[in-house]
Structure formats: structure tokens, C-alpha cells
Amino acid sequence: MSARILVIDDDEAFREMLCEALAAKDFDPVGVGTAEEGVARAKAETFDLVLTDVMLPGMDGIEGLSKLKEAAPDSEVIVMSGYSAREKALDAVRLGAYDFFAKPFSLAEMEVVIRRALERRTLLLELRQLKSAVAAGRGPTIVGQSPSMRAVVDMVRRVAPLDSTVLVTGESGCGKEVVADAIQALSKRADAPFVKVNCAAIPENLLESELFGHEKGAFTGAVGLKKGKFELADHGTIMLDEIGDMPLFLQPKLLRAVEQKQIERVGGGKPIDIDIRIIAATNQELQSLVEQKLFRADLYYRLSVAAIPLPPLRERKEDLPLLVGHFLERIGPRVGINLRGVSREGMQLLFDYDWPGNVRQLANLLERAAIMSSGEVLTALEIGRALDGASRRPAPEASPEGPCPMAGNLRDTLQDMERNMILTALRKAGGVQKDAARTLGVSPKNLWNKLQNTASTRPNTPVDDDTATGKGGEREECLRRPGA
């Protein structure tokens, strides 16, 4: 969007000439004849820069400067003066004006100074927002000290102050929305609208209207004009979650919004200019979708200008202690317990788990364990029960009068239960590993690894006869590595 410039000068011919020259340089000038008018416009509208004469009727430029700074503290001011008013112009600079020019002046030189003043304004606004975000702890915290997460944080810091389109990728539950929130909080649009849309959650026949809006009468039920999410996010940021689920017929309209910053409502024939930043997120491999002709290559390249891949939790387990501490601080007030941590044995269970639901699953599991807890430290038994719930297994009930049915080595007990679940799923799937993995909610590769661990850690444990003997070649299918 063009920078808005307020021109204050009582010489109407000069004011109009200057406004025309600024417009020819792609600025958006507004001219007024007195300081009083300028202050009133600055209070009612937003201007990036003010050009004002110091010799004005009524309130002069020096008095007007202080009023302008009150009305528009984020606007830079450049003063103009005749040679006789040079001392006044210098006084204006001492009071906060960016620079001054003596009339007559070179328009080319003026343009250079204007652009520098605008760059300075942008940098100051970014610095203020960054300091404010750090001081107030605004926005989400990206937790992690593993090398992969340090790379994520570094990328967020690099792209946040820019207006570049960002593509955040990673499995479900990895924290893609947290990263998007952090980018928004540290951006120059931090105080502007931040609109989030889940492309997979909106029916395909309604998604176009939801994103781009519609005109009255555009279709049955369109009883009035409706602004879409892009218009609502104007001057701010829009997050398009699950972008891989966007239907092909809508992708050209999205490409136009990304490239040309223009949209068109359903049933409308007039392009609408928008000033917007786009953050897209997906748990799918967009390159694979491009190869399958399910996603436009040109749109993919435009969205992935700045790509931030998030690692799954199983690949950064060294971050578990930090994540546990972070979530317990939030969970404690909700459950009414001052949670101090997790026992050593309980933490070992967390390290041994594969976390198919990633960070989101960890947060939910800790809250489940905290609800069942009676103390400030979550025990292995409480963590184990919460893990049972995560695997949809019934949690064992401890008898108040007798020993716990899980008495003994808790880790071995959990491994036995996991092994039994795997064997049951394989039997129901007829020994087909891929189908069993789908039933268990894990990947075939993950299931293969678990089968190998089971075979190596408990070689002498008997198994179900059908699975062991492999009727009809079932055992061979069960233990075949995916793709082998």
C-alpha cells in the first residue's frame, strides 16, 4: 500500500503542485492549508509522514508540530520553510522533526529524504513491537532447546518482521499454530487483525464464500453482502491452516491473492485490493500433492517463500523436560494443584513413548494425569494411567485394601499391554501389517519397529497360536518390513 503523506501549506498552488509530484512517485498525498486542519486530519486518519510549512496563518508550524506529534505520534514530520524562516525550521528539527527543506528545493532530493524517513518509521515501529512483545510475554512461547527447534526459532525471528508469505509444515500436533502466532506477535502487523481459517473444516461448497465473501444474490441464500476472511484480515495477517486440503478450483483465486494482493467476491466482477500477509500451514507433503496434480505448482512455490518445517516430538525428545515444565505451569491453576514436576520413573515413561500426537498429545496427557493426581509431583502410576488412556486401554484400578494389580515393574507391564494390543490388532487384520497399523493409529514403519523390539526384548513369551504359526502365510506378512 502507498505511504500516506499529509501536506500542510497555505500556498494553494505550491500545495497542489507538491501533491501532484508525490502522487506521480506512487505516494498517497492529502493537502490542507492550515496547521489546525492538519492536526484535525491527523487525529481522524492515519498518515505515515507529514510535510508542513513553518510559516502558516493562525497556528504556525512550530506550534503545530507539537500538536501533530500528539495527534500522530507514529508519523514522521519534515518541515519546509523559506530562507528567512531557516532558524524556525532548525527549531522544528530540535523538537522532533525528521528533517527540513528550504524553498525552493529539488523534488528528487525531497523524494530521497521522504523514503529515508519512511524507512526510519518502519524500523522504529518494528523495534517497538518487538520490545513490547518480549516485555509483555505476548503471544505463545516456542519451547525447545534441541538443534531442530533452535533452527525453528531462528527462522521465526528472521521472517517475523518481513511481509513474506510463510509455509509452516509438520505433523498434526507439532505446534504449527503456535509458530504462526509467534510470527504474528513479532511482526509489524502485531496489532492488526489476525484471522485463522481451517481449510479442512469448511465444506468445499462454502469455502470460496468464506474466504473471499459474496455479493447479495450471488447464490440461493445470499441475502446480503458478506465480507470474506481475506477482507476481514485487511492490513493484517491471515492463517490458512490445512492448506493442502484446499480444492483445486479455488487455488487460482488464492494464487491471485498471494501474487497480486487482489480478491473477488463470489458474484462480484470488481477486484478488491487487499494489504495482507499470508501464513499457510499443512501436515501434508505439498510437493507430493503437486506431483499427483492435486496442488498447483505455482501456488506451492509462492506459498513456500519462507518455509518452516517443524520436527515431530519423537525426534526431539531432549525437549521433553522443558515442555513438561511449560505445560505443568499452565495446567496447575486449572486443576487447582501446584504441580512441581514429574517423578524420575514417570519421566522415563514419557521418554519411552513414541508420541504419535506430538506436543498436543503431551499437553493433553499431562492434564489427564494431573486430574488423577493427589500430589504435587506426577508419579509413574499416574503417567502410566494417562498413557493407557492415550492408547484407548482401560486403566487398571488400584484397590485401596490390597496391592495394585500392576505391582512390579511398571515399564514391563506397559510393554506387555502394548504387545498384546499389537498382536490383537494383527490377528483382527488377518496378519496384514498395514491394516493393523491403521487400527492402532501408528505408521506401518512404527509398527514394524515395535514388532522388532517385542521380538528382541521378550523372545520367550508365547503368543497367540494363529499369529505364531502364521496360518495362510500370515506371520510372514506380519513381520515383513514395509516395502520389502
Side-chain angles (χ1 to χ4, degrees):
M1 179 176 286
S2 300
R4 299 199 74 213
I5 298 178
L6 177 62
V7 179
I8 308 174
D9 199 296
D10 60 328
D11 185 334
E12 183 177 359
F14 175 80
R15 184 174 71 241
E16 290 182 357
M17 179 274 295
L18 183 54
C19 285
E20 288 179 5
L22 292 172
K25 297 295 183 180
D26 294 327
F27 296 115
D28 181 13
V30 174
V32 296
T34 66
E36 290 84 354
E37 288 181 274
V39 171
R41 291 295 291 266
K43 287 181 179 178
E45 305 172 45
T46 300
F47 292 96
D48 301 292
L49 183 118
V50 179
L51 290 174
T52 180
D53 198 343
V54 294
M55 300 297 291
L56 295 168
M59 184 192 305
D60 68 13
I62 299 299
E63 186 182 355
L65 177 62
S66 61
K67 299 289 185 182
L68 282 168
K69 281 295 184 182
E70 290 177 11
D74 293 333
S75 300
E76 293 290 348
V77 179
I78 296 176
V79 295
M80 304 175 291
S81 71
Y83 184 79
S84 61
R86 183 181 178 87
E87 286 301 320
K88 275 197 170 186
L90 290 172
D91 287 340
V93 172
R94 295 188 191 102
L95 291 173
Y98 177 76
D99 206 341
F100 79 93
F101 275 89
K103 298 178 181 176
F105 51 77
S106 162
L107 287 175
E109 186 179 352
M110 171 71 86
E111 181 189 358
V112 171
V113 175
I114 286 175
R115 295 196 183 277
R116 286 179 179 170
L118 292 172
E119 288 175 5
R120 178 176 182 269
R121 176 180 181 272
T122 299
L123 290 173
L124 288 174
L125 288 176
E126 288 178 2
L127 181 61
R128 184 188 310 166
Q129 288 162 356
L130 288 168
K131 287 182 176 179
S132 174
V134 171
R138 183 176 59 191
T141 303
I142 301 177
V143 180
Q145 288 297 321
S146 60
S148 56
M149 287 309 296
R150 287 201 297 268
V152 168
V153 171
D154 180 63
M155 191 64 178
V156 167
R157 287 173 177 162
R158 288 174 181 270
V159 304
L162 311 176
D163 260 347
S164 303
T165 301
V166 181
L167 177 64
V168 187
T169 61
E171 297 177 5
S172 293
C174 277
K176 296 186 289 294
E177 188 171 349
V178 173
V179 169
D181 288 342
I183 293 171
Q184 166 68 4
L186 296 174
S187 74
K188 60 186 178 183
R189 300 173 185 260
D191 298 320
F194 186 26
V195 178
K196 300 178 182 179
V197 184
N198 188 325
C199 300
I202 303 172
E204 190 173 297
N205 60 326
L206 299 178
L207 186 57
E208 182 176 13
S209 172
E210 191 71 18
L211 289 175
F212 304 109
H214 62 250
E215 300 284 351
K216 180 179 179 180
F219 49 83
T220 303
V223 295
L225 182 147
K226 176 189 173 182
K227 289 186 177 181
K229 300 297 187 184
F230 275 88
E231 282 186 84
L232 295 177
D234 194 23
H235 300 296
T237 305
I238 188 168
M239 178 186 180
L240 300 175
D241 201 4
E242 306 299 349
I243 190 69
D245 290 294
M246 175 166 284
L248 270 171
F249 78 91
L250 275 184
Q251 292 179 23
K253 293 192 74 169
L254 176 58
L255 181 63
R256 183 181 183 186
V258 175
E259 286 189 329
Q260 302 177 26
K261 304 298 182 184
Q262 283 187 338
I263 61 167
E264 194 172 296
R265 298 190 191 115
V266 178
K270 181 181 178 182
I272 301 170
D273 292 326
I274 53 170
D275 173 19
I276 200 167
R277 183 187 197 169
I278 297 174
I279 301 175
T282 181
N283 61 3
Q284 301 187 56
E285 290 286 346
L286 289 190
Q287 275 190 307
S288 176
L289 294 181
V290 169
E291 293 169 2
Q292 299 173 51
K293 307 298 183 183
L294 297 176
F295 202 87
R296 291 179 62 110
D298 48 3
L299 178 57
Y300 167 66
Y301 297 136
R302 290 296 297 160
L303 291 175
S304 57
V305 170
I308 303 180
L310 294 185
L313 182 54
R314 63 181 174 275
E315 293 179 4
R316 60 176 186 110
K317 288 187 179 180
E318 60 265 49
D319 288 332
L320 273 172
L322 289 173
L323 288 165
V324 168
H326 172 73
F327 288 130
L328 291 186
E329 283 184 7
R330 297 186 172 194
I331 293 168
R334 293 205 296 266
V335 299
I337 301 175
N338 181 26
L339 295 169
R340 294 191 294 111
V342 176
S343 70
R344 185 186 301 272
E345 294 78 9
M347 187 63 73
Q348 186 60 52
L349 291 176
L350 298 180
F351 270 98
D352 289 343
Y353 192 61
D354 280 340
W355 302 109
N358 293 295
V359 178
R360 183 189 295 126
Q361 183 186 11
L362 174 64
N364 293 338
L365 182 138
L366 290 172
E367 184 162 2
R368 187 182 306 117
I371 290 171
M372 297 186 292
S373 176
S374 56
E376 296 181 347
V377 175
L378 301 183
T379 66
L381 180 60
E382 290 157 352
I383 294 293
R385 286 175 171 172
L387 282 168
D388 290 343
S391 300
R392 291 188 172 87
R393 296 191 296 264
E397 297 182 1
S399 168
E401 301 176 355
C404 171
M406 287 179 62
N409 188 305
L410 180 60
R411 183 173 178 181
D412 286 347
T413 303
L414 291 173
Q415 287 177 343
D416 287 342
M417 297 178 74
E418 181 180 78
R419 175 177 172 278
N420 290 335
M421 280 192 68
I422 291 172
L423 294 175
T424 300
L426 284 167
R427 185 170 58 252
K428 289 182 177 180
V432 180
Q433 182 182 327
K434 183 178 180 181
D435 294 342
R438 187 181 301 111
T439 300
L440 292 168
V442 299
S443 67
K445 182 178 180 181
N446 195 332
L447 179 57
W448 168 261
N449 291 333
K450 288 181 178 294
L451 286 167
Q452 297 309 298
N453 290 336
T454 298
S456 62
T457 58
R458 306 185 69 83
N460 298 320
T461 304
V463 295
D464 180 271
D465 289 342
D466 287 349
T467 307
T469 56
K471 291 183 178 179
E474 290 174 0
R475 181 170 177 80
E476 181 184 358
E477 177 65 23
C478 291
L479 301 181
R480 184 180 300 132
R481 180 180 291 276

